[in-house]
Structure formats: structure tokens, C-alpha cells
Amino acid sequence: MARPELSLSLQFGRFDGVAEHRDALPRHRVARWLRATLGEQVQAAEITVRIVGDDEGRQLNRDFRARDYATNVLTFDYSGAPLVAADLVLCAPVVAREAAEQGKPLADHYAHLLVHGALHAQGWEHETSDEDAEAMEAHESAVLTGLGLPDPYLR
């Protein structure tokens, strides 16, 4: 089966320590993670990945989800299969803190959150029911282990 075409825009906001996050997210690696996440029904995807600081992350979460704190990943999905169009916004300080707390490399945590966000862009949900959460977690694990990365749910 042919892999879906992926148009990727990788953006970094202005925040302290941006170089560490750029180093963890080379474009080819981000594209590989996203392509591995795209389902069989997807013919093409246009995805913007934006890495932001606390202020921008908090503002977006407040404005679009009415939650006044910065979260690890926000997914803005505009269209589903066969053409997936989405923006994935990841808050660098939150991602770095979580990676440190979980004792995992920064790049591995970014991979997990990018897979998670890309699944949301394709309609996967985890806040709707326990069954949906279990299915999404299982799919995330399968994608990540298929990429040679550790299962984020095994501790």
C-alpha cells in the first residue's frame, strides 16, 4: 500500500530553551512519526506542528478549550480522511517537564504526543469513554513500538 502524502510545516515559537526542542525534533523524524500514524483511509495529510512556550500554550488552551493552563498538546482538526488537515500545538515547557517526570528522553515524549495529536486529527478520542481511551492508548502503543520506540503506557 502506498504511504499517504504528507505536507508538513514545522514551526517553533520564541521561548527560552528552544534549541533543545529543535534538536529533539528534526523534520525527517517528525514526518516519520506522523506518517506512521496516518490510517489506511488517509490519502494525504496537511499538518502544521508548532512548538510553543508557556504563554502561547496557555492562551490557546484558554481561548479554545476554556482551560486556563498550558497543556502538552492541542489538536485543531479541520478535515478528516481522505485528506487530513490539522494543526498540532505542543507546549515545550510542559513536554520537557513531563518527559523529566516520566524519566524518558524528550524526543520519545514528543513522538508520543505527536502520535496522540495526529490520532485526534483522524477522529480518535479518549475523553468520550473508557473503551475509547483504551482503544486509543492501544493504537498509540502499536504505532510507537512499530517505530522502535518504547510503549509510553508501560512503566
Side-chain angles (χ1 to χ4, degrees):
M1 182 176 94
R3 293 186 342 183
E5 180 182 329
L6 172 64
S7 173
L8 171 64
S9 175
L10 181 57
Q11 305 173 358
F12 291 86
R14 294 178 189 209
F15 56 89
D16 290 339
V18 69
E20 174 188 11
H21 297 271
R22 282 184 187 277
D23 290 346
L25 293 165
R27 183 181 176 77
H28 71 278
R29 190 180 293 168
V30 172
R32 181 172 176 255
W33 296 335
L34 292 174
R35 276 193 187 96
T37 309
L38 298 174
E40 293 179 10
Q41 71 283 12
V42 177
Q43 295 173 4
E46 296 175 0
I47 299 176
T48 296
V49 173
R50 181 163 173 80
I51 312 303
V52 301
D54 275 320
D55 291 342
E56 188 173 348
R58 182 177 182 175
Q59 179 181 355
L60 289 167
N61 201 28
R62 183 180 57 237
D63 293 351
F64 291 96
R65 295 180 68 226
R67 297 180 183 175
D68 194 19
Y69 58 88
T71 190
N72 52 17
V73 61
L74 293 167
T75 300
F76 299 93
D77 56 328
Y78 308 111
S79 69
L83 172 61
V84 172
D87 293 338
L88 306 179
V89 179
L90 293 94
C91 185
V94 174
V95 175
R97 183 181 68 246
E98 289 176 349
E101 289 169 354
Q102 296 171 25
K104 63 172 69 169
L106 182 60
D108 288 1
H109 196 42
Y110 268 120
H112 177 209
L113 294 173
L114 286 166
V115 166
H116 183 87
L119 288 177
H120 273 306
Q122 296 172 83
W124 289 79
E125 285 298 329
H126 56 86
E127 295 180 352
T128 47
S129 71
D130 289 343
E131 293 80 19
D132 288 346
E134 290 171 12
M136 187 168 176
E137 287 177 9
H139 196 65
E140 288 172 21
S141 295
V143 169
L144 290 162
T145 58
L147 287 164
L149 296 166
D151 185 333
Y153 297 105
L154 295 180
R155 300 197 202 289

